Amino acid sequence: MARVGLSAERLTLAGAELADEVGFEQVTLSALARQFDVKVASLYSHLKSSHELKTRIALLALEELADRVSEAVAGRAGRDALAAFADAYRDYARRHPGRYDAARFRLDRETAAASAGVRHAQMTRALLRAYDLDEPDETHAVRMLGSVFHGFVSLEAAGGFSHTPVDAQASWEWTLDSLDAVLRARGTGTAAP
Amino acid sequence: MARVGLSAERLTLAGAELADEVGFEQVTLSALARQFDVKVASLYSHLKSSHELKTRIALLALEELADRVSEAVAGRAGRDALAAFADAYRDYARRHPGRYDAARFRLDRETAAASAGVRHAQMTRALLRAYDLDEPDETHAVRMLGSVFHGFVSLEAAGGFSHTPVDAQASWEWTLDSLDAVLRARGTGTAAP
DNA sequence: CTGCGTTTGCTAATACCTTTAGGCAATTGC
DNA sequence: GCAATTGCCTAAAGGTATTAGCAAACGCAG
């Protein structure tokens, strides 16, 4: 019974990689056990359940994503920052589809509150500062940006844009331009009717 | 061995209802068999697989959603139509969360091409006609609208908006106003820089 | 270095869910 | 009314999750 040297961390990382390869849904304790050439039951020494594994992968992904975004946004403001934020987000989703899915895994309230999810919200608010929105408009804008980024990226991942010849990149840029325009209009008080 | 009178249609409908109650992920052939008081293997006379059941539920949801949207939009144009479209979409997702999830089930290319998904695209384009966008802008706009609607609705369903006191409805209206404004700006050629 | 407690992986067992194969009865069509 | 089809059943195999109890490996104290 040579010990393999498992740990929650190693399992989480392996799970994240597996997710990127075969999809978050297919990440299973059995698959992980196979990879480490270990019996499934052995994993329960490190993880309480399959749910805990998924939660940990989700938390990892949220951290990674927040790190990427944070780095991308550093030193930028306004439209530049918006594009950097959005691109970092989209890049991560494209490079790590399984992890991205994991980041959308529904966490319970407390876990979510302790996750890097809060950094995401803070960064979005920091980004919006340049547009000078009053509350509750800033909150509305946080939600709109989140919706667009997540919506676009998830539709793109689902292949929803592959039916038309128009380049997804062009649509992405057009969308970012639109968001920038609308936020500037809102910020200066020259909001649309 | 009294016959129960199953059929792919009845199973699909029951599956859709089950999805709304317990979530699309939890819709299982076993659960359905239990509901109809029938052995699981019997379902294979009507469905090739669990995957087929999910696909059928997805197609049903796409049809229903397209019907709702189509009815809501009828006779409206511009901002009115935009709001009607968006509200119908959001309402459906709130009333039928399981079905809405199902509508996002990844279909293979042919199935998707034969689904009501194409009606969705057509309706979106019809909606945009009032804004008078040239190609490829119209395509960009289709994608942006799809992203916002899906993104908002799915973040809302995931409870992503419950951490802040600001009303989701207000954010929704604010977002629709923003989209209307940006589309009008794009359409008249007075696009933002 | 020896011994003891803890950790870690194992076997065994239970409980679902999916899918296939093969059988018999109810229903349908002629 | 009979034959063919269809619809539901039993049986069985394979995958995943989870729990309980056991034994070897490890790590630290003395």
Side-chain angles (χ1 to χ4, degrees), chain A residues 8-131:
Chain A
E9 287 69 31
R10 283 192 65 189
L11 288 170
T12 303
L13 203 49
E17 271 151 32
L18 187 58
D20 285 337
E21 283 162 29
V22 303
F24 184 57
E25 293 302 320
Q26 325 308 321
V27 173
T28 171
L29 290 182
S30 297
L32 236 44
R34 268 193 297 277
Q35 249 184 46
F36 285 101
D37 199 38
V38 142
K39 298 298 170 186
V40 191
S42 306
L43 303 185
Y44 285 82
S45 301
H46 306 279
L47 301 167
K48 269 204 307 293
S49 65
S50 167
H51 185 271
E52 183 183 342
L53 172 65
K54 289 190 185 129
T55 300
R56 279 175 179 271
I57 298 176
L59 293 175
L60 171 69
L62 285 171
E63 288 285 355
E64 288 184 350
L65 185 48
D67 288 348
R68 301 266 195 299
V69 168
S70 156
E71 189 179 351
V73 158
R76 297 178 196 276
R79 216 230 104 113
D80 258 20
L82 179 70
F85 188 117
D87 283 342
Y89 198 89
R90 178 162 172 250
D91 273 10
Y92 187 77
R94 286 151 64 107
R95 280 220 239 296
H96 302 291
R99 282 158 146 108
Y100 181 75
D101 262 18
R104 312 241 54 92
F105 183 67
R106 223 211 203 289
L107 302 171
D108 39 284
R109 211 170 274 298
E110 324 133 67
T111 311
S115 77
V118 305
R119 275 171 71 201
H120 288 267
Q122 286 167 355
M123 290 189 294
T124 309
R125 291 200 124 89
L127 175 72
L128 287 170
R129 216 160 292 141
Y131 293 100

